[in-house]
Amino acid sequence: MYVYDEHDHTIIRERVAQFRGQTKRYLAGELKEEEFLPLRLQNGLYVQRLAPMLRIAVPYGMLNSRQLRKLAHICRHYDKGYCHVTTRQNIQLNWPQLEEVPNILEELADVEMHAVQTSGNCIRNTTTDQFAGVARDELIDPRPYCEIIRQWSTFHPEFAFLPRKFKIAVSGSETDRAAIQFHDIGLQIVKNDNNQIGFTVRVGGGLGRTPVIGSVVREFLPEKDLLTYLEAILRVYNLLGRRDNKYKARIKILVKSLGVAAFAEKVEHEWEQIRDSQTLLTDKELNRARSFFTEPAYETLDDREISASLAETADSDRGFANWLSRNVTAHRVAGYRAVTLSLKPTGIAPGDITDKQLEIIADLADRYSFGEVRATHEQNIVLADVKASDLHALWAEAKSAGFATPNIGTLTDMICCPGGDFCSLANAKSIPVAEAIQREFDDLDYLYDLGDLDLNISGCMNACGHHHIGHIGVLGVDKKGQEFYQVQLGGNSSNNASLGAVLGPSFSRADMPDVIRKLIDVYVEKRNESELFIDTFQRVGIEPFKERVYAKAD
C-alpha cells in the first residue's frame, strides 16, 4: 500500500494545524456558521442529528494493522467505542466532540491517515474492488491508478469548489465489484487490439434523487492520458454544471441535459488543449505508483493438497463448511484465499465495529494477511492474502470475535446507512428495519437456498444505502411526520447494471419483515432451477410481486 513521503507528511500536518485554527476561531465566535461550513466539510466534519460526524478517508479501502489500532484508540478516547464502515470504503465516527476533532486529525496523521475531502463539493475518496490485486478475474491491479487519482485530486485548487460532490471508481476485473456505473466517473481497465492498457470511461452515473446509469464517453483512453482526460471532464463540469440548485448540480444532470454525445464532444475539445500538458503520465510516474503495490512474500504452496484437507475438515464441521462456502474467495496465487469478515451479525447495525474488534482485526491481519485489510463498499472487512492452510484457525478466531457470520452475499448481508438514528437528513430509521429483517430470516439453510440476494436500505433519497441498486431496495420516506418505507425491486450494481422499480405505496416499519417475506415467497414459487432473485425478477417482471404484497386479506 502507499507509504507517505516527507511531502505527504508535511502537507497533512499543515492541514491539521490550519483546521485547528479554523475550529478555534469558530468556537470563539470569530467565524460565522456559513463561513465554517465549507471548511469543516472538506475536513470530513458533518453536523448530524445528535452529534458531529467525522468521516475518515480510507483510500481505495486499504488499511494496515497500525492504522486499525490507531482507529481503535480514537474510538475509545474520542468517541463511544465504535465506528462505522461506509459504502465508500471510509470510516465514520458518530460521536466526536467538535473541539476534539483537530486532536483526532492530528492522531490520524501519525499513521498516515486524514479526513481531507471526505465531504464538500470536491473529488471524494476514489474507490475500487475489495479484491484488487488478488482477484482471479483481474486484468490488472487498479490500485496504482486509484493512488495516482488520489494524489492528483487532493488539494487540486481548480476542483476544490465544484458545483457538487464528485466520486470516481476504478475496476480492473471482468466482474464489476466497485459499482463503477453509478459514479460521476467510472473507469474500467481494458486492453485494446494492440494489447495496450487503457480505460473505458463512463460519466454521469449516480444515485440520490435522480438515479442514473453512467454513459460511455470514451471506449478506450490510453493509460498515460488518464489524468488529462479526467481534468478535461472536470473542467467541462466546473464550467457548465449548475450552481443555482444543489439538487440539479451533479454531473449526471449536466450529461443528461446536454446529451451524451454533446457532452463527450465538449470533453474531447477541452482534452485536445491539455492532453500533452504536464499532467500527462510518464512511465516513471506509473512505475512509481506501481512500486507501492508489490506482491507480498507469498509461499509456494500445493493448492490441491490444501484444498483436499480443507474439504475433509469441512465435511466434519458444518459451521466451518458454511463459512468456507460464503466468506472465502478464490485467490490468484495457489494456496491462498481472500476472506471476508462479516460485520453483519444480527442485532448489530450493519458496518458497525467496536474498538476492541478493530484491535482483534489488526491482530488477525498481522497473523494471517501480511498486516493489511480492505474495507468494502458492502460494509465488511477483507483479509486479502490468507494461506488456505490457516483458514480453520482464522475461522475459529473470527467466530469468537463475532466476525464469522457465514452470510456474505445473502439477504442478511445487507447494505444499510445509519439512517434516522444518527443522520439529520434521514426521513426514517434504517437500522431497526435491517435488524427486523435479519431476525425474520435467521435460518441459514433457507438463506443459502435463496442464493445471492442484495438487499439495500437507505433512510432518505440521498441513497447512502444504495437502495436504487439493491435487488430489493428499501427507502425511508416521511408521510406527515410518520416513518414509512418504499420498496424497489430489480436494481443491480454489477456488469448488467439496472435501477430498481418502485413496487407501489409505502409500508410501515412493522410491516417490513412481512413484506420482504412475501417478496421472497414469490421468488421461490416463480424461480427456475438455479435462478437467482434478480434473474427471476427480470424474467417475470414486477407484477407478481406487486399482486402478492398488496393482495387484500380474505
Side-chain angles (χ1 to χ4, degrees):
M1 64 188 297
Y2 180 72
V3 178
Y4 280 18
D5 60 19
E6 192 54 42
H7 175 74
D8 296 313
H9 283 292
T10 299
I11 200 168
I12 293 300
R13 292 287 183 192
E14 289 176 350
R15 180 64 170 235
V16 172
Q18 180 190 57
F19 188 64
R20 185 182 294 281
Q22 292 165 346
T23 303
K24 184 177 180 180
R25 289 163 60 204
Y26 171 71
L27 291 172
E30 298 170 11
L31 275 180
K32 296 178 182 178
E33 176 62 41
E34 60 268 25
E35 294 173 318
F36 187 56
L37 174 65
L39 303 177
R40 66 169 170 79
L41 285 178
Q42 291 211 11
N43 286 281
L45 187 64
Y46 285 77
V47 173
Q48 296 286 73
R49 187 179 298 276
L50 302 172
M53 180 270 281
L54 181 65
R55 181 178 294 147
I56 299 166
V58 184
Y60 35 93
M62 291 199 70
L63 289 160
N64 61 37
S65 57
R66 181 169 172 244
Q67 292 169 333
L68 287 166
R69 292 188 178 97
K70 175 60 76 172
L71 288 171
H73 165 78
I74 288 171
C75 289
R76 188 176 299 129
H77 290 277
Y78 296 101
D79 208 279
K80 292 192 175 184
Y82 72 97
C83 61
H84 179 72
V85 178
T86 81
T87 54
R88 287 209 68 70
Q89 300 177 296
N90 288 323
I91 298 292
Q92 286 182 184
L93 301 178
N94 287 315
W95 300 97
Q97 298 300 308
L98 174 58
E99 60 272 18
E100 292 184 331
V101 169
N103 295 337
I104 296 173
L105 297 179
E106 187 172 40
E107 296 227 28
L108 288 171
D110 288 339
V111 293
E112 302 182 356
M113 295 185 74
H114 59 77
V116 172
Q117 294 180 202
T118 55
S119 183
N121 295 334
C122 53
I123 300 171
R124 303 282 186 90
N125 195 39
T126 299
T127 57
T128 192
D129 180 359
Q130 64 263 32
F131 301 119
V134 304
R136 284 189 177 178
D137 66 338
E138 187 172 84
L139 176 66
I140 193 169
D141 189 345
R143 293 174 299 171
Y145 304 107
C146 293
E147 179 57 31
I148 287 170
I149 293 169
R150 185 193 72 82
Q151 293 189 26
W152 163 77
S153 63
T154 302
F155 303 124
H156 197 305
E158 190 174 348
F159 307 134
F161 295 98
L162 295 167
R164 199 70 174 90
K165 59 187 177 181
F166 204 90
K167 301 175 181 179
I168 301 173
V170 188
S171 175
S173 299
E174 293 176 11
T175 300
D176 176 13
R177 290 178 286 268
I180 63 170
Q181 298 188 66
F182 297 100
H183 282 73
D184 298 289
I185 296 177
L187 300 169
Q188 177 66 50
I189 300 174
V190 294
K191 283 185 178 180
N192 65 9
D193 293 339
N194 296 321
N195 209 36
Q196 296 171 315
I197 291 292
F199 307 89
T200 296
V201 183
R202 291 180 176 271
V203 178
L207 301 176
R209 292 175 180 271
T210 309
V212 179
I213 298 173
S215 300
V216 174
V217 296
R218 200 163 228 280
E219 290 287 353
F220 184 82
L221 176 72
E223 180 183 41
K224 292 183 180 181
D225 294 315
L226 172 62
L227 294 186
T228 57
Y229 201 77
L230 294 185
E231 197 162 272
I233 294 171
L234 266 297
R235 283 187 173 187
V236 171
Y237 173 50
N238 214 10
L239 180 65
L240 301 178
R242 292 183 61 172
R243 296 177 186 271
D244 61 324
N245 185 337
K246 72 176 184 178
Y247 300 118
K248 297 184 182 297
R250 296 292 293 272
I251 195 173
K252 61 190 176 184
I253 304 299
L254 177 62
V255 173
K256 186 176 181 179
S257 64
L258 291 176
V260 176
F263 177 84
E265 184 179 348
K266 290 182 181 297
V267 171
E268 292 287 327
H269 177 75
E270 179 65 31
W271 185 46
E272 285 302 319
Q273 316 306 310
I274 63 173
R275 64 181 301 180
D276 294 322
S277 66
Q278 63 182 4
T279 314
L280 185 71
L281 289 172
T282 63
D283 288 336
K284 180 180 179 181
E285 179 57 26
L286 287 165
N287 289 332
R288 186 189 75 87
R290 294 186 186 111
S291 71
F292 294 104
F293 301 93
T294 54
E295 193 168 277
Y298 294 125
E299 298 177 23
T300 301
L301 302 169
D302 187 335
D303 198 87
R304 289 176 297 180
E305 182 179 330
I306 297 170
S307 296
S309 176
L310 285 173
E312 184 177 341
T313 304
D315 283 342
S316 60
D317 192 327
R318 189 180 180 191
F320 177 61
N322 288 341
W323 181 80
L324 203 61
S325 172
R326 275 285 158 187
N327 297 47
V328 178
T329 304
H331 197 290
R332 65 176 179 81
V333 176
Y336 286 83
R337 304 289 188 272
V339 172
T340 302
L341 302 177
S342 172
L343 302 185
K344 314 289 178 63
T346 300
I348 301 296
D352 277 8
I353 184 168
T354 69
D355 55 339
K356 292 179 180 178
Q357 288 179 319
L358 284 165
E359 290 174 332
I360 291 170
I361 290 176
D363 292 342
L364 295 177
D366 283 340
R367 275 199 295 278
Y368 297 112
S369 194
F370 300 102
E372 291 181 352
V373 306
R374 290 99 178 277
T376 81
H377 88 265
E378 294 94 349
Q379 301 174 291
N380 293 308
I381 297 291
V382 165
L383 300 175
D385 296 295
V386 179
K387 284 198 292 187
S389 56
D390 287 337
L391 286 173
H392 193 269
L394 171 58
W395 169 70
E397 292 190 54
K399 185 178 179 182
S400 65
F403 300 132
T405 306
N407 66 341
I408 301 302
T410 70
L411 183 149
T412 61
D413 180 29
M414 58 187 71
I415 290 174
C416 179
C417 75
D421 283 306
F422 299 97
C423 182
S424 59
L425 300 176
N427 293 316
K429 294 182 178 180
S430 302
I431 296 170
V433 175
E435 181 176 352
I437 294 170
Q438 286 175 324
R439 294 193 184 283
E440 178 74 14
F441 295 90
D442 61 352
D443 184 330
L444 281 176
D445 288 335
Y446 186 64
L447 286 177
Y448 296 158
D449 178 65
L450 298 178
D452 290 350
L453 205 166
D454 296 341
L455 192 152
N456 299 349
I457 306 174
S458 297
C460 75
M461 283 299 295
N462 286 299
C464 294
H466 295 185
H467 65 277
H468 295 295
I469 50 177
H471 301 157
I472 300 174
V474 177
L475 168 65
V477 296
D478 181 283
K479 280 190 171 184
K480 298 180 180 179
Q482 299 295 312
E483 295 183 357
F484 279 78
Y485 298 86
Q486 181 189 86
V487 173
Q488 300 182 9
L489 299 180
N492 189 4
S493 64
S494 193
N495 299 57
N496 298 319
S498 59
L499 294 164
V502 176
L503 184 67
S506 56
F507 307 93
S508 71
R509 186 195 303 175
D511 289 335
M512 284 309 299
D514 187 54
V515 169
I516 302 301
R517 173 68 69 179
K518 289 177 180 177
L519 294 174
I520 297 302
D521 286 345
V522 173
Y523 158 56
V524 171
E525 293 166 15
K526 299 288 185 180
R527 66 181 173 181
N528 293 330
E529 188 176 356
S530 301
E531 198 173 47
L532 297 176
F533 181 94
I534 187 65
D535 302 320
T536 299
F537 174 82
Q538 290 171 348
R539 179 172 56 81
V540 305
I542 200 169
E543 288 304 319
F545 297 93
K546 184 179 293 188
E547 289 172 5
R548 180 68 57 86
V549 170
Y550 294 107
K552 294 182 179 180
D554 293 333

